[in-house]
Amino acid sequence: MVTVTAESPSPLDEPGYRDLVELLRGLGSVAVACSGGLDSSLLLAVAHATLGERVLALTAMTPYMASWEIAEARELAATLGVRHQVLELPLAAEIAHNPPDRCYRCKLKLFSELKKPSPPPRVVTCWPMGATGTICTTTGPECVPCAS
């Protein structure tokens, strides 16, 4: 159990947090792939605190996503005051037959679609993949979120 006291160091003083803020500042403007989950919510909040109006939240609405996830993403963006776009995407043909690498194919398709409407030059994300997320700082084919 962790006990936080007035003498505890601030999470804002953590090197990882400072590195994230510097990365975001260096990008100048970002579109955050926002699922409404913890990882993307934190990234969206830090991006907004760092870049203000130069942040866009993008959420994909697909046939296999729960409506409550979309609602949470919308609520988060509204609470933070971040511009938000929900992109309606059909079931990707690449995963319709449920292949063994469906997660990889789905994420690849999803992120290629999320990049399309983004006026900022970069899409950043912390999409949950086990215990880690991916920060995608490029828009080229080398950005493959879920590649292992």
Side-chain angles (χ1 to χ4, degrees), residues 24-39:
L24 292 167
R25 279 191 187 131
L27 294 174
S29 63
V30 296
V32 176
C34 182
S35 67
L38 180 61
D39 296 338

Side-chain angles (χ1 to χ4, degrees), residues 7-126:
E7 295 80 34
S8 298
S10 167
L12 303 180
D13 293 332
E14 292 294 321
Y17 181 85
R18 291 193 312 262
D19 291 347
L20 175 59
V21 168
E22 288 308 310
L23 174 86
L24 292 167
R25 279 191 187 131
L27 294 174
S29 63
V30 296
V32 176
C34 182
S35 67
L38 180 61
D39 296 338
S40 64
S41 297
L42 175 64
L43 181 58
L44 184 61
V46 174
H48 180 63
T50 303
L51 300 172
E53 293 181 8
R54 295 173 297 172
V55 176
L56 171 67
L58 294 174
T59 301
M61 183 185 314
T62 64
Y64 45 86
M65 290 189 70
S67 59
W68 62 266
E69 291 178 303
I70 306 302
E72 285 186 359
R74 283 186 168 129
E75 182 180 347
L76 174 67
T79 299
L80 293 174
V82 174
R83 291 176 300 132
H84 186 220
Q85 289 181 16
V86 177
L87 308 172
E88 292 188 42
L89 304 174
L91 180 65
E94 297 88 342
I95 65 167
H97 62 287
N98 202 22
D101 62 346
R102 66 191 167 276
C103 288
Y104 168 78
R105 290 176 184 223
C106 179
K107 296 276 197 247
L108 185 62
K109 180 70 173 171
L110 179 66
F111 282 91
S112 67
E113 292 297 322
L114 286 173
K115 290 178 189 177
K116 288 181 181 177
S118 176
R122 303 281 193 246
V123 174
V124 293
T125 180
C126 268

